[in-house]
Amino acid sequence: MEAVAAKKENLTIVKDNGVAEIHLHVNKTNSYSLAFYQDLNAAIDEIRFDPEIKVVVLVSDMPKFFSAGADINFLKAAEPRFKTQFCLFCNETLDKMARSPQIYIACLEGHTVGGGLEMALGCDLRFMGDEAGKIGLPEVSLGVLAGTGGTQRLARLVGFSRALDMNITGDTLLPQEALEIGLVNKVYPQAETRAKTLEYARKIANSATYATSNIKLSIMNGKEMPLNVAIRYEGELQNLLFRSEDAKEGLSSFLEKRPADWKGL
């Protein structure tokens, strides 16, 4: 499939061989307002309905920042009720990524702070360059909390105590420190970060994608359920997979000692 690009005001979508890249280009620090999240929301909707796309990579076109979060001038000028609805809309947009069958990866090549980290937390995986800069949630220094999932998604990812410490101090971490606590999944040499991330994305996009999408749904939905209910849910998804064309192909290719020809069905 030939690469296809669609440009919006604050981002560009590039689709190629089962992978969609969402390139952020709001401003020098990707500090966003409502207009950016409206573009991101529309991009996620478009991708959700594209059966060819299996993996999505969020990446910044700015050399030093993935995102510095919400534009402070925009927030200062807004009324409290508007800011509350803005946070709600951002959270609803990020939740779409978690509920989508595609695997979402944040490629972090620059500073990832505040709402920028919250955006990355909305993704399924986070890969970071070893010289990308700082990552953290400094909202407490503004007298507020990280209200786009920063207190909730972070705690579920790295644990209550670590999330509390990061939120109440506002301290930022270096890439290796973020890797050690499980905030990011991989740290690559800086110059190789994007290429390595896309290599990973293409590998997943060309694998048993009906299985990978159900694995994601099992983990994402199951973590909110009691264990006995989650195990039952896992079994129901497995039952679907047992009946799939890809499962038949996977078993056959294994026994025949040949590469599998995955159909995503």
Side-chain angles (χ1 to χ4, degrees):
M1 183 177 76
E2 187 176 347
V4 178
K7 189 169 185 178
K8 301 180 185 293
E9 181 180 356
N10 297 290
L11 56 85
T12 300
I13 307 170
V14 180
K15 299 178 181 180
D16 185 22
N17 196 30
V19 176
E21 301 171 43
I22 300 179
H23 290 251
L24 314 183
H25 45 74
V26 186
N27 47 47
K28 289 183 179 180
T29 62
N30 282 327
S31 299
Y32 56 76
S33 63
L34 177 60
F36 164 75
Y37 256 91
Q38 288 172 327
D39 280 352
L40 181 60
N41 185 68
I44 294 167
D45 279 344
E46 176 185 330
I47 290 167
R48 291 177 93 180
F49 286 97
D50 189 335
E52 299 298 319
I53 301 303
K54 310 300 183 183
V55 183
V56 186
V57 177
L58 268 65
V59 62
S60 171
D61 287 342
M62 304 302 121
K64 295 182 179 180
F65 282 85
F66 175 74
S67 173
D71 186 302
I72 302 302
N73 290 320
F74 161 76
L75 287 179
K76 189 174 187 300
E79 294 296 324
R81 185 178 184 280
F82 178 91
K83 286 184 274 200
T84 299
Q85 295 305 313
F86 172 61
C87 288
L88 176 61
F89 180 71
C90 293
N91 266 319
E92 290 171 339
T93 299
L94 296 177
D95 193 52
K96 282 186 178 182
M97 294 197 294
R99 303 303 174 190
S100 294
Q102 291 91 356
I103 305 298
Y104 274 78
I105 305 171
C107 178
L108 310 176
E109 299 172 286
H111 298 298
T112 306
V113 292
L117 174 52
E118 291 175 300
M119 195 190 316
L121 288 169
C123 294
D124 304 310
L125 302 168
R126 286 149 298 280
F127 300 163
M128 197 171 191
D130 62 356
E131 298 177 7
K134 301 292 185 66
I135 184 167
L137 297 169
E139 281 86 346
V140 69
S141 65
L142 301 174
V144 296
L145 57 74
T148 312
T151 65
Q152 300 306 309
R153 292 188 179 94
L154 184 63
R156 285 162 171 74
L157 183 64
V158 303
F160 169 81
S161 295
R162 286 193 178 110
L164 180 62
D165 176 59
M166 288 182 65
N167 273 277
I168 64 177
T169 64
D171 290 345
T172 54
L173 304 177
L174 294 172
Q176 191 60 39
E177 293 173 317
L179 178 66
E180 289 169 1
I181 68 168
L183 178 54
V184 300
N185 300 88
K186 298 179 186 294
V187 170
Y188 292 122
Q190 184 67 22
E192 301 174 18
T193 306
R194 188 172 303 194
K196 291 288 189 181
T197 300
L198 291 173
E199 179 184 338
Y200 180 100
R202 294 186 188 105
K203 178 181 177 181
I204 300 303
N206 288 285
S207 69
T209 55
Y210 188 50
T212 58
S213 64
N214 278 282
I215 290 168
K216 172 181 171 174
L217 292 177
S218 185
I219 292 171
M220 292 298 180
N221 294 331
K223 68 183 179 181
E224 307 298 336
M225 302 174 185
L227 180 59
N228 63 322
V229 178
I231 292 294
R232 178 65 181 269
Y233 175 62
E234 178 187 74
E236 291 172 355
L237 294 177
Q238 180 73 303
N239 185 43
L240 288 175
L241 291 172
F242 279 148
R243 299 165 185 268
S244 70
E245 293 300 315
D246 273 1
K248 296 174 186 176
E249 171 62 12
L251 294 171
S252 296
S253 62
F254 178 83
L255 293 173
E256 296 167 13
K257 296 181 173 56
R258 60 173 175 80
D261 181 17
W262 306 116
K263 303 296 185 184
L265 301 170

